Amino acid sequence: MSENNTTLRVANVSKHYGEFTAVNDLSFDVKAGRVFGFLGPNGAGKTTTIRMIVGITAPDEGAIELFGETVSNESQNRIGYLPEERGLYKKMKVQDQLRYFAALKNVSQAEADRRIDFWLERMKLAEWKTKKTTDLSKGMSQKIQFISTVLHNPDLLILDEPFSGLDPVNVEFLIEVVAELKAQHKTIIFSTHLMETAERLCDDIILINKSRKVVGGTLREVKGSFSKNLIALRCVGGSAILEDKSLVAKTITHADEIEIELAENADAQVLLKRLIENGASISKFEQIEPSLNDIFIEKITGN
Amino acid sequence: MRKFLAVVKHEYKKIVLKWSFIIGTLLFPIIAAGFAVVPAIIFSIKGEPTRIAIVDQSGKITARLKENLSAERMTAKTAQAMKDSMKNLDAPTDERMKNSAEQLVESFVFTDYNADEKSLEQIRRELGEKITAKELDAYLVIPENLNAADAKYEFRSRKAGDFGGERNLRDALNEAVRSERLAGANISETQLEDLSRNVDFDAKSLDEKGDEKDSDSVFFASLIIGLMIYITLAIYGQMILAAVVEEKETRIAEILFSSARPFELMMGKLVGVGLAGLTQLGIWIISALVLVGIGVAQMSAAGMDISIPNISPLMVVLFFVYFLLGFFIYASIFALIGSMVTTVQEGGQFSFPPIMLLLVGFYFSFAVIRDPNSQLSFWVSIAPFFAPITMPVRILAETPPYWQIALSIFINAVAITGLIWLASRVYRVGMLMYGKRATIPEVWKWIWQG
């Protein structure tokens, strides 16, 4: 893989705190211009890994490369990091806080002021520019924090649970903004345990649990490898076919449809053909992919 | 470097642009100006002169009394009283009242009244009527026989609250009567003065070069400078604590640490807050110097002999140097505490030890003022933690040899280097530890971990 399209490379990284291993031999690549889902339950080692990427802590073993170089103060200026636990200065004006955060990323004040105006406008918060944090609602504070993450026009955005505490309207709004950033060829790392959102947004994912990588790849690959040949069926008649053990391994009857797990090596097309031949009247026949949520639960609980 | 400066600017502005800072910084000189200037203004305001009629039945007192109440005598008395009040701070209340009464310049206008051939009753009635008609403010009846056991000096006044005027009159009257009695005993006024004159006790201490200085003013100036440094160190130390805890509590530290090095962030904070402290102390000290100058000018204009301690520009520079040394010592301790705890309240409990150290340093400064050249004064003005308060006091009380100042600065600078190193080790880990207060063994581990 060339440096041009790999924004981040994590290679065999481990981090220990005394006896406790927070991250164990973790490796993955994040490609430029993609949305990368960094998934895992609480305590899996996500925040520790992110802290190493943004240069807050250093790995004990392994290496992290950002934009083709090791993590440095230079690379920090190209990252926008929205931590899961985050806050603002309580008694400071919105504009002053944003200026300070921009200055810490080496943005000149004139440039910062221009971008602050742009982003406050974009986030529909222009009239809050000179208000103090204590005057803002929780959702507004969240959006200000998001602005502080993108203010220095970073090439890599790391968003740790960006939607927690936001109402659905604002979640949709933020997703829209993230999509715009992606269109500008920014790389985005999403850390979340909301699988539905991850499924909607991510091109690639990695799932970690108990400090180790469990599964990773493009969303499609991961889902494909977990396909269990499930079919959702709604029909009248044909019940004899469903009892054929060479075709159907298991059926679960829901209110108005039947979930079918195909027998090993059985073909969905054959099942459909047999049902029709049998005179069943079919109103729904759908091959279902496992949701990310199913994969998550299965992998984490170890079934 | 740019990020460090951004942090410095941020911390400085955060403090200096607050109302509390602006008010606190300006209020001190205004209050001090109030103490220095307002009394002088009030003293210079002369009340309406008291119109008084004197009925001297003995015929021997009036001349002396009028002389004693003359404007020149009153001014001289006022100046003496003002000086006494400044020298004798722990005087009993009564004496203080007397002093402040005497500081009010009183003037009397004598109204002629012909009491010839009138009975005492008649005199009382007539003068009483004049007072009621507001033609007169007071009258005094001096008895015929000054030395009779039952001799009464009757004073009646319209101004019930004018205890100052009453006291002044009484003193003048006592003096006049005493003089008359002495004359009766054939002792002249000058003889008496010679006999009862106080010794001239000229208390001044000698400094290194053998020059004299006024010990009273040195005592106050030393005490004030010690107190000023103690207070600013305590206040600005607490400010560091609050600023560190805020960033930890709100989790802003996480964003900061992903943007700049922890050491840069901590030093930026210390320097920014330190500059704010320097700004405040600078305004205070400059206004104090100006006010003392004005006060001295006023008092010497009022004919008072007052001396101020000789403060050289080098001393002023050294005060600022010691403020900064003290600031960095205590600020790094407070930064360390701030990164250990989770809330400001918790930090408050932990700030007891450094505040105690400061207080002990302040108490040592009394010992230093009393004897600036003792062994104890030497050691406490060299020792880290105490020197930032005790050394400026000592310099003002009696400037020690320069090698001692140099040694003291060096030792404190070494202490600062060590403390900042310790604080930055704890800061870098502690700021990202949420949820619970760190224990001492944990902190010990953070210091040594890579």
Side-chain angles (χ1 to χ4, degrees), chain A residues 51 77 81 87 89 104, chain B residues 3 246-247 250-251 254 432:
Chain A
R51 281 181 176 178
N77 291 341
Y81 171 37
Y89 292 103
L104 285 178
Chain B
K3 290 181 182 181
E246 185 189 11
E247 284 175 357
T250 56
R251 315 287 196 253
E254 188 107 12
L432 301 171

Side-chain angles (χ1 to χ4, degrees), chain B residues 93-113:
Chain B
T93 320
D94 181 57
E95 207 166 312
R96 254 195 243 185
M97 290 263 288
K98 177 176 172 232
N99 256 323
S100 37
E102 283 170 358
Q103 286 175 36
L104 294 167
V105 176
E106 281 288 333
S107 58
F108 292 91
V109 171
F110 302 98
T111 309
D112 290 331
Y113 172 69

Side-chain angles (χ1 to χ4, degrees), chain A residues 3 6-11 63-71:
Chain A
E3 281 173 9
T6 303
T7 302
L8 168 70
R9 168 163 289 167
V10 174
I64 295 176
E65 263 181 31
L66 264 169
F67 315 109
E69 288 159 18
T70 50
V71 178

Side-chain angles (χ1 to χ4, degrees), chain B residues 410-423:
Chain B
F410 174 75
I411 286 180
N412 280 277
V414 170
I416 288 169
T417 315
L419 283 166
I420 285 180
W421 180 81
L422 265 181

Side-chain angles (χ1 to χ4, degrees), chain B residues 138-169:
Chain B
Y139 68 85
L140 174 71
V141 179
I142 298 164
E144 202 172 332
N145 184 358
L146 298 175
N147 298 320
D150 62 345
K152 272 210 169 67
Y153 296 79
E154 249 184 71
F155 177 68
R156 296 291 178 272
S157 172
R158 196 169 59 81
K159 297 174 175 176
D162 186 14
F163 70 96
E166 194 183 315
R167 206 184 260 272
N168 281 329
L169 183 72

Side-chain angles (χ1 to χ4, degrees), chain A residues 240-279:
Chain A
I241 307 299
L242 298 182
E243 270 150 39
D244 183 344
K245 291 294 173 202
S246 68
L247 274 175
V248 178
K250 203 164 105 189
T251 62
I252 302 162
T253 310
H254 293 299
D256 65 339
E257 63 181 54
I258 304 165
E259 196 180 302
I260 295 165
E261 196 181 317
L262 289 177
E264 232 167 299
N265 302 321
D267 189 345
Q269 298 306 316
V270 175
L271 177 67
L272 180 60
K273 202 169 140 206
R274 290 277 301 280
L275 281 167
I276 292 166
E277 282 169 2
N278 205 258

